[in-house]
């Protein structure tokens, strides 16, 4: 009986391990089901996944002799990760507002504060920017831009400010960050929404 | 209860050979190229004297770039499933390689996969790019700090040259 119990525990551990490995398939902390559904419907998908190790290597490519490069290098070295997902769809209506809402809700915790919430009814475009505040310091940024045929999700973990986004656009695959910063600035002046 | 334990143990026992088979065969760059050849019934053109080119590039960049591997598939006509391709490359390269960029089109025409791998102070870069009827696979090892110094050196020389003109 003791042997049976041990075997049962062993089996349970193996199964849990397999399940956890499957759950960790995507390093982007988003609802995995939504990510898969979006990817399945999109005609083009771009994924950028830069963990701390890879950001450390990317930083080494910046010599730091130039003042701008030195600032970018310092910024990158302090980050925990940059995750970008861009989905392009053939036609409108390929993703639902429920999916967008699910993504937003995922970050609507006490740690994340919305700084931009833009809704353009005419063009059916929405922009949400949330900042993770820890002891009053920005420790992360989540950007969700939804257009009828495009969806962009950006998650930056670590100390980052809106004005830093343009510095990051030079990294491979992150050119859209410059556009995000441009979008944010006029909205803030306008008072938010 | 005994039956349940028996089924569970059988399931675990079945996982082992599956995992062994999945990780079997040639891995790394050659493993990826070989798998592409078999899966898509295509033949890769390997650049002649690649070993020599790799050696020269290592010398020329004073160790900045080394271990160069290139394979090119021309007239690649098979449609690719992005998910399947990604899984295959991940499996052949191994868990030490991290995928940093992936671009995939549902219709299979354009696929880009970029993996990076820390090799001490160096970095391994693996790029698979399929566009239209061409598919290229490249792997290099770079020393970021050393490459930077070389680039700066050339920039410095070029500035001096411009000033002299």
């Amino acid at each position: 009986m003791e042997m049976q119990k041990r075997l049962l525990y062993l089996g349970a551990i193996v199964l849990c391990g397999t399940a956890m490995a499957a759950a960790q398939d995507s390093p982007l902390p988003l609802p995995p089901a939504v990510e898969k559904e979006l990817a399945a419907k999109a005609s083009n998908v771009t994924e950028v996944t830069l963990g701390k190790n890879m950001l450390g290597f990317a930083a080494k490519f910046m010599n730091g002799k130039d003042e701008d490069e030195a600032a970018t290098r310092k910024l990158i070295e302090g980050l925990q990760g940059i995750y970008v997902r861009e989905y392009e769809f053939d036609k409108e209506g390929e993703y639902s507002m429920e999916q967008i809402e699910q993504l937003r809700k995922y970050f609507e915790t006490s740690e994340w504060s919305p700084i931009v919430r833009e809704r353009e009814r005419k063009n059916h475009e929405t922009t949400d920017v949330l900042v993770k505040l820890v002891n009053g310091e920005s420790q992360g940024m989540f950007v969700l831009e939804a257009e009828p045929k495009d969806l962009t999700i950006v998650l930056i973990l670590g100390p980052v400010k809106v004005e830093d986004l343009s510095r990051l656009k030079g990294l491979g695959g992150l050119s859209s960050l410059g556009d995000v910063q441009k979008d944010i600035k006029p909205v803030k002046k306008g008072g938010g929404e | 209860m005994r039956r349940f334990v028996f089924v569970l143990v059988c399931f675990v026992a079945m996982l082992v050979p599956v995992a062994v088979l999945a990780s079997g065969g040639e891995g790394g760059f050659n493993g990826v190229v070989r798998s592409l050849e078999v899966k898509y019934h295509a033949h890769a053109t390997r650049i002649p004297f690649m070993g020599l080119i790799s050696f020269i590039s290592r010398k020329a960049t004073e160790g900045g770039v080394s271990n160069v591997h290139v394979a090119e598939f021309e007239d690649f006509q098979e449609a690719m499933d992005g998910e399947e391709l990604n899984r295959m490359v991940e499996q052949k390269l191994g868990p030490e390689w991290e995928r940093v960029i992936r671009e995939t089109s549902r219709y299979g025409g354009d696929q880009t996969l970029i993996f990076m791998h820390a090799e001490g102070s160096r970095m391994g870069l693996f790029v698979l790019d399929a566009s239209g009827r061409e598919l290229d696979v490249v792997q290099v090892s770079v020393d970021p700090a050393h490459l930077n110094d070389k680039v700066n050196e050339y920039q410095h020389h070029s500035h001096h040259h411009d000033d002299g003109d």
Side-chain angles (χ1 to χ4, degrees):
Chain A
M1 197 62 196
E2 193 61 27
M3 185 63 183
Q4 280 182 351
K5 267 190 185 173
R6 280 188 190 171
L7 281 170
L8 192 66
Y9 288 143
L10 182 72
I13 289 167
V14 171
L15 285 175
C16 283
T18 315
M20 279 167 74
Q24 283 169 358
D25 203 24
S26 165
L28 181 67
L30 286 181
V34 176
E35 204 185 337
K36 277 192 180 160
E37 281 166 23
L38 291 169
K41 290 204 166 173
S43 53
N44 287 302
V45 181
T46 303
E47 297 175 9
V48 180
T49 307
L50 291 162
K52 187 156 178 62
N53 280 349
M54 292 305 132
L55 284 169
F57 267 107
K60 284 185 188 171
F61 279 100
M62 287 155 196
N63 56 32
K65 284 172 187 162
D66 173 275
E67 202 177 294
D68 238 26
E69 263 194 21
T72 308
R73 182 176 179 152
K74 201 177 162 200
L75 169 70
I76 291 170
E77 281 174 338
L79 295 177
Q80 301 296 316
I82 300 178
Y83 308 96
V84 180
R85 299 289 183 269
E86 279 184 3
Y87 303 97
E88 283 174 41
F89 302 93
D90 278 339
K91 53 182 191 283
E92 293 182 17
E94 293 259 39
Y95 64 86
S96 66
M97 284 320 284
E98 285 79 37
Q99 286 173 317
I100 300 295
E101 209 47 49
Q102 255 183 291
L103 291 170
R104 279 193 203 112
K105 284 231 166 92
Y106 206 72
F107 287 89
E108 278 177 10
T109 61
S110 55
E111 275 187 324
W112 292 86
S113 309
I115 57 165
V116 175
R117 190 183 136 88
E118 189 186 17
R119 304 284 179 267
E120 280 187 38
R121 282 193 188 145
K122 197 177 160 191
N123 306 324
H124 302 287
E125 291 176 11
T126 68
T127 304
D128 290 86
V129 182
L130 291 98
V131 174
K132 185 182 182 181
L133 290 172
V134 178
N135 298 324
E137 294 284 319
S138 166
Q139 290 295 327
M141 191 175 290
F142 174 71
V143 181
L144 177 62
E145 267 200 331
E147 292 174 25
K149 287 161 78 177
D150 286 288
L151 187 64
T152 305
I153 302 165
V154 180
L155 179 70
I156 303 169
L157 297 175
V160 64
K161 295 180 189 125
V162 173
E163 51 268 32
D164 292 330
L165 292 180
S166 63
R167 287 195 189 283
L168 297 174
K169 70 179 182 186
L171 285 177
L174 302 179
S175 54
S176 58
L177 290 179
D179 300 331
V180 170
Q181 190 189 13
K182 269 184 231 160
D183 287 345
I184 293 170
K185 276 187 171 167
V187 175
K188 276 183 90 180
K189 276 175 203 165
E193 205 144 329
Chain B
M1 180 65 184
R2 200 173 273 181
R3 185 179 286 176
F4 175 68
V5 173
F6 178 73
V7 170
L8 202 62
V9 171
C10 286
F11 178 72
V12 173
M14 277 165 68
L15 282 179
V16 177
V18 168
V20 171
L21 280 174
S23 61
E26 200 176 6
F29 177 86
N30 288 330
V32 173
V33 174
R34 186 76 197 115
S35 295
L36 288 168
E37 286 180 325
V38 172
K39 167 85 188 152
Y40 299 107
H41 313 288
H43 180 71
T45 308
R46 283 158 169 102
I47 312 293
F49 307 113
M50 206 59 230
L52 180 65
I53 294 168
S54 185
F55 175 75
I56 293 168
S57 67
R58 189 186 180 106
K59 286 284 167 200
T61 58
E62 292 171 17
V65 178
S66 65
N67 202 17
V68 183
H69 293 80
V70 181
E72 192 180 10
F73 292 84
E74 283 174 342
D75 205 21
F76 194 88
Q77 294 181 22
E78 296 268 341
M80 280 183 287
D81 178 334
E83 277 296 320
E84 197 178 43
L85 178 74
N86 179 54
R87 264 200 307 273
M88 185 270 284
V89 175
E90 275 185 343
Q91 188 213 322
K92 288 292 168 189
L93 289 181
E96 64 272 22
W97 287 85
E98 283 182 44
R99 194 190 69 216
V100 289
I101 295 180
R102 178 187 176 208
E103 282 187 41
T104 178
S105 69
R106 203 199 315 176
Y107 310 113
D110 298 329
Q111 306 285 340
T112 302
L113 290 169
I114 302 179
F115 286 77
M116 284 159 81
H117 169 222
E119 301 168 343
S121 63
R122 304 180 68 82
M123 183 173 69
L125 256 176
F126 176 93
V127 181
L128 184 151
D129 184 62
S131 184
R133 292 174 122 190
E134 200 174 301
L135 188 151
D136 301 308
V137 190
V138 178
Q139 187 182 319
V140 288
S141 171
V142 294
D143 180 342
H146 200 97
L147 258 186
N148 249 333
D149 290 343
K150 292 305 283 180
V151 170
N152 283 337
E153 207 177 290
Y154 285 120
Q155 277 178 344
H156 189 71
H157 278 301
S158 134
H159 283 307
H160 270 283
H161 206 72
D162 290 344
D163 292 342
D165 287 344

